[in-house]
Amino acid sequence: MFRCGIAYPRCRWIVPLLLLFAIIFDIIAIAATSGWVEDKDAKSHYASMWSQCRFRNDNWDCKSLMEFSWAQAVAALMIIGLIILIIAFIISCIALCCTLNISLLPVIGVLLFITVVIQFIALIIYPVRFNDLIFEGRYDYTWAYGFGWGATILCIGCGILFCCLPRYEDELTGLAKTKYIYTSA
């Protein structure tokens, strides 16, 4: 027999695992000391969420970005998003891994969408304000900034899954009858 579709009981373990990856991506983005922005050749200027460094007179001159209110807002929003994401992960482990508590799944979905909005705002503010601050040459947004977007995209996908999973309670518990696309006569 041929069976097609999502193996719902596996979602009980896969979706919290995806949230764990989103947490790891967020931690990488927040903790990176470089990798948010680099100049075109990556030889004379780079920045993280926290500071920027320039190469002048055979020496790296680093300055904190935390003196700017927009950088403080970006840091605060990213950290708040990470905290909400960790709370959603803990609740998802309780709701799916320990016991099956379907009523918590929409709550987790809402928390994830709040995280998406918060991090989306932070990830948009940073390049707009950084480009206003530095306007010479060409700059690339690199790996650590990409990890921030990766975490946000994972949160979007998991938020959709958590909002849709309550409709498939029987499938999650394994009580649903298997539906086959093709049966032999």
Side-chain angles (χ1 to χ4, degrees):
M1 299 295 168
F2 178 70
R3 190 169 143 187
C4 182
I6 297 175
Y8 292 97
R10 290 188 188 136
C11 286
R12 293 179 65 176
W13 302 100
I14 292 173
V15 179
L17 183 65
L18 289 174
L19 286 182
L20 181 62
F21 284 131
I23 290 170
I24 292 169
F25 286 4
D26 250 355
I27 290 171
I28 290 171
I30 291 169
T33 57
S34 68
W36 274 56
V37 180
E38 293 177 349
D39 64 340
K40 184 179 178 183
D41 301 324
K43 306 250 189 229
S44 64
H45 190 203
Y46 67 89
S48 69
M49 188 173 73
W50 307 100
S51 64
Q52 65 173 335
C53 296
R54 290 182 176 271
F55 189 71
R56 292 185 178 153
N57 303 327
D58 294 334
N59 198 8
W60 284 101
D61 178 33
C62 295
K63 293 181 181 175
S64 175
L65 288 174
M66 291 299 116
E67 64 191 43
F68 300 106
S69 60
W70 62 268
Q72 293 172 358
V74 168
L77 289 171
M78 289 296 288
I79 291 170
I80 290 169
L82 176 63
I83 291 169
I84 295 171
L85 181 56
I86 291 170
I87 292 168
F89 172 72
I90 292 168
I91 295 172
S92 75
C93 287
I94 292 168
L96 292 174
C97 300
C98 299
T99 62
L100 187 61
N101 191 344
I102 299 295
S103 62
L104 287 177
L105 299 182
V107 173
I108 299 166
V110 169
L111 286 174
L112 291 174
F113 286 124
I114 291 169
T115 300
V116 167
V117 169
I118 288 171
Q119 290 189 344
F120 186 80
I121 292 169
L123 291 168
I124 294 299
I125 289 173
Y126 186 87
V128 169
R129 299 302 297 162
F130 189 83
N131 286 339
D132 288 345
L133 177 68
I134 307 297
F135 45 85
E136 74 264 357
R138 180 178 161 208
Y139 287 87
D140 296 324
Y141 293 88
T142 58
W143 63 272
Y145 184 71
F147 272 107
W149 277 111
T152 305
I153 291 168
L154 279 172
C155 287
I156 291 170
C158 289
I160 292 169
L161 284 173
F162 276 111
C163 287
C164 293
L165 281 177
R167 303 172 85 197
Y168 301 98
E169 181 176 359
D170 288 340
E171 286 85 351
L172 281 171
T173 58
L175 298 175
K177 183 179 176 185
T178 303
K179 297 175 187 173
Y180 295 101
I181 293 176
Y182 173 77
T183 59
S184 59

